[in-house]
Amino acid sequence: MSSVCELFLCFLTVNIIKGGATRPNIVFFIADDMGWDDVSFHGSDQILTPNIDLLAYTGVALERYYSHCICTPSRASLLTGKFAHVIGMQGYPLTNAEDRALPLGEKILPQYLKDLGYATHLVGKWHVGQARAEHLPTFRGFDTHFGHRGGYIDYYEYTLLENWDEGDVSGFDLFRNMTAAWEVEGYITDVYNEEAKSIIKAHDVSRPLFLMVAHNAPHSANEGAFLQAPSDEVRAMRHIELPQRRYYAAMVKKLDDSIGDIVKTLSEKGILDNTIIVFVSDNGGITSQMSANYASNYPLRGLKMSPFEGGIRVNGLIWSKNLTQSNHLWKGYMHVSDWLPTLLKAVGAESAKEIDGFDLWDNIVTNTISKREMIVEINDYTGFYSITHNEFKLVVGSVLTSYSDHQGKQFRGIIGKPPSYEDAIKKSKIYSVLSDNGINFGFNETALRNKIKIKCNDLKPNQEICFPSKEKWCLFNIKEDPCEIVDLMDTHSDVAKELHTKLEREIARTIPRTIPHETNLKAMPKFHNYTWDIWKTSDK
């Protein structure tokens, strides 16, 4: 790195750690099942997310941020810095009746930060193990947890429904640490918002803060009431043509409002100058099929639970007041496993060893080429595998075709004129926060929307796209063809063979999944005061 870059990084680090704490605070937001086309900084005029957008416009938007295609694997990878398949957390998401969890021998992100003196708090979703007490967040490095332990909950009743061979099984899944939070009332996005704000207000600024806010939104709720939002927010979405999409847009609006509220609280606490903020989606949106929430990954191909770009290329950004990269857009590859080493570097700590993640902090700060060249998606449960290396991507195995085509275009319809983007920006909480903190924002920054917007040619009538099978591989150039329309196997078979060799080495590292997943009757909520509580001890 040049001396100029070294001086810049030194300046950034010195400025970022001003304040009471000796290291920067970290606030990490995770949206659940949110599509590529569901944030307006990616170019959509239909669903406006001004607070999220302003973090991108004044921080750094991550153009090629990748995650695993399902929630449990992506969260496991985030916390460990490892690909999900090497710790047995790949494939079908964790159910509430499984004795499966992040391996207890893995040191995870809050434990690293706790060792550095951080106060560590989780608000919202966990979903990486709950059968035993030692699987829970407060046994894995978080000082406190208020939220749901499983995959999702009803937005008002906080229940989770699972379909068992014995019939539908439902239980309460909102806990404060080890105790069911029966007394709580309200829309869960608002509830989590108030909890996060309360933690910030009560925080002792002599210590650095790590706050992970893993919202339920905009994941679907239980069967029979998949989409839930306050009625006034839904009515405000009448410019959206399809009613399902209106409900979804209202859920996203509440999520965006929460992020604005929390950032405002950081400012009022006087610690925003000393805080790194991250916003990501855990995987692609689920436009249709099981647990559909009517999210859209348009124009990307595929949904959550598929290895195509719509399943794994997701929303991501990083912000700090001193992260002043001029164009606010980083084009390098980043994977969810990279957050652990990247954040450790950002707070001035040594990186973890023997992980799959790369420390990309310096690359993001100086807008230089990513250290990461390869991304893999290995799902031995469903039976598909993909590898991306530089511009090429190979997909092999058996995919769920109904999750692997192009969807979402039908949800983009707008009645009349869309709401004013400029008005939405100016009325947002973060717009006021930026002004109060001396951070200049001009509407020329919104040009980022055009830089990051993905453009693809529509499929021609009767045009076939490649679906892999036991006999067929699919190869794409995702730099030139991000929507994975043109199969290159006939012209680049040599590239495919090279990628397959690399992929086989990763497959060999896999800890195999049990199929089908466990449904243990001991977990039945009626045995635990009708809650999804711990149901197994270590000696049984």
Side-chain angles (χ1 to χ4, degrees), residues 374 376 378 385-389 392-397 469-470 472-475 489 492-508:
M374 185 179 75
V376 293
I378 292 176
Y385 311 85
S386 73
I387 180 170
T388 301
H389 189 267
F392 289 103
K393 176 177 176 181
L394 178 70
V395 186
V396 303
S469 65
K470 292 181 180 180
K472 184 177 179 59
W473 298 351
C474 300
L475 180 70
M489 279 300 302
H492 292 74
S493 60
D494 55 334
V495 173
K497 291 175 183 177
E498 290 178 11
L499 291 182
H500 195 261
T501 299
K502 295 179 187 293
L503 181 59
E504 285 182 320
R505 286 198 288 267
E506 278 301 320
I507 293 173

Side-chain angles (χ1 to χ4, degrees), residues 57-58 328 434-435 437-442 445:
Y57 296 153
T58 58
H328 301 287
L434 294 175
S435 178
N437 284 269
I439 301 173
N440 294 323
F441 173 76
E445 265 90 5

Side-chain angles (χ1 to χ4, degrees), residues 6-21:
E6 289 171 355
L7 285 171
F8 175 76
L9 286 169
C10 180
F11 171 82
L12 178 65
T13 303
V14 168
N15 278 274
I16 213 169
I17 64 175
K18 285 181 179 178

Side-chain angles (χ1 to χ4, degrees), residues 329-343:
L329 179 64
W330 190 60
K331 293 179 173 289
Y333 282 131
M334 185 175 189
H335 186 261
V336 62
S337 62
D338 299 326
W339 282 118
L340 187 148
T342 298
L343 290 174

Side-chain angles (χ1 to χ4, degrees), residues 141-214:
F142 283 105
D143 294 330
T144 67
H145 174 225
F146 174 73
H148 55 295
R149 297 170 176 175
Y152 59 90
I153 51 176
D154 182 276
Y155 282 72
Y156 292 98
E157 298 302 323
Y158 322 135
T159 56
L160 181 144
L161 175 73
E162 291 191 349
N163 304 121
W164 292 13
D165 291 342
E166 293 76 14
D168 291 343
V169 178
S170 178
F172 187 81
D173 189 12
L174 182 65
F175 291 83
R176 185 174 295 281
N177 302 321
M178 300 295 290
T179 305
W182 290 106
E183 77 287 356
V184 174
E185 295 180 356
Y187 187 68
I188 194 60
T189 306
D190 293 336
V191 170
Y192 286 163
N193 181 54
E194 292 304 316
E195 179 71 13
K197 289 161 59 178
S198 177
I199 288 170
I200 294 167
K201 291 174 183 177
H203 176 63
D204 178 357
V205 296
S206 67
R207 298 180 65 193
L209 169 69
F210 173 55
L211 172 60
M212 180 174 284
V213 184

Side-chain angles (χ1 to χ4, degrees), residues 181-380:
W182 290 106
E183 77 287 356
V184 174
E185 295 180 356
Y187 187 68
I188 194 60
T189 306
D190 293 336
V191 170
Y192 286 163
N193 181 54
E194 292 304 316
E195 179 71 13
K197 289 161 59 178
S198 177
I199 288 170
I200 294 167
K201 291 174 183 177
H203 176 63
D204 178 357
V205 296
S206 67
R207 298 180 65 193
L209 169 69
F210 173 55
L211 172 60
M212 180 174 284
V213 184
H215 270 295
N216 192 51
H219 198 291
S220 61
N222 295 311
E223 291 179 15
F226 276 132
L227 304 180
Q228 299 179 356
S231 58
D232 58 332
E233 300 289 358
V234 177
R235 282 194 297 272
M237 299 297 165
R238 287 178 174 173
H239 65 281
I240 296 175
E241 182 179 356
L242 296 181
Q244 312 97 307
R245 186 71 169 163
R246 292 180 191 177
Y247 277 95
Y248 176 78
M251 293 159 71
V252 171
K253 166 70 161 47
K254 294 294 288 181
L255 169 69
D256 184 73
D257 287 347
S258 170
I259 291 171
D261 270 353
I262 292 168
V263 172
K264 182 180 179 182
T265 305
L266 291 168
S267 180
E268 292 171 344
K269 182 72 173 179
I271 60 175
L272 182 62
D273 284 4
N274 187 30
T275 299
I276 296 169
I277 298 172
V278 174
F279 171 79
V280 299
S281 305
D282 62 343
N283 44 248
I286 184 76
T287 310
S288 64
Q289 312 308 314
M290 184 178 68
S291 299
N293 65 352
Y294 301 92
S296 172
N297 304 313
Y298 181 86
L300 297 176
R301 176 182 176 182
L303 314 180
K304 171 185 177 179
M305 300 182 74
S306 90
F308 294 96
E309 295 290 278
I312 60 175
R313 184 174 175 180
V314 296
N315 310 317
L317 64 85
I318 185 167
W319 182 96
S320 85
K321 184 175 180 180
N322 300 287
L323 195 55
T324 54
Q325 188 196 101
S326 60
N327 65 0
H328 301 287
L329 179 64
W330 190 60
K331 293 179 173 289
Y333 282 131
M334 185 175 189
H335 186 261
V336 62
S337 62
D338 299 326
W339 282 118
L340 187 148
T342 298
L343 290 174
L344 288 179
K345 177 61 177 294
V347 303
E350 291 186 9
S351 183
K353 296 180 173 61
E354 297 181 356
I355 60 174
D356 297 301
F358 288 88
D359 161 25
L360 301 177
W361 178 246
D362 293 355
N363 303 101
I364 294 169
V365 168
T366 60
N367 197 18
T368 51
I369 296 172
S370 177
K371 297 186 187 77
R372 175 169 291 285
E373 296 180 336
M374 185 179 75
I375 294 163
V376 293
E377 187 68 9
I378 292 176
N379 184 333
D380 58 339

Side-chain angles (χ1 to χ4, degrees), residues 23-28 79 107-124 126 136-146 177 195-196 199-200 202-204 207-213 344 347:
R23 299 183 190 272
N25 309 296
I26 301 171
V27 176
F28 200 110
L79 291 166
K107 187 173 183 178
I108 66 173
L109 180 58
Q111 293 170 319
Y112 282 101
L113 294 173
K114 199 171 179 65
D115 287 348
L116 297 172
Y118 278 76
T120 56
H121 303 277
L122 171 62
V123 175
W126 176 238
L136 298 177
T138 51
F139 289 78
R140 302 303 304 266
F142 283 105
D143 294 330
T144 67
H145 174 225
F146 174 73
N177 302 321
E195 179 71 13
I199 288 170
I200 294 167
H203 176 63
D204 178 357
R207 298 180 65 193
L209 169 69
F210 173 55
L211 172 60
M212 180 174 284
V213 184
L344 288 179
V347 303

Side-chain angles (χ1 to χ4, degrees), residues 36 39-43 56-57 60-64 313-316 328-331 447-455:
W36 175 270
V39 290
S40 43
F41 79 85
H42 282 170
Y57 296 153
V60 177
L62 305 171
E63 185 183 60
R64 292 188 175 273
R313 184 174 175 180
V314 296
N315 310 317
H328 301 287
L329 179 64
W330 190 60
K331 293 179 173 289
L448 173 65
R449 300 176 82 205
N450 292 323
K451 293 179 183 177
I452 201 170
K453 190 173 183 179
I454 296 172
K455 298 180 177 65

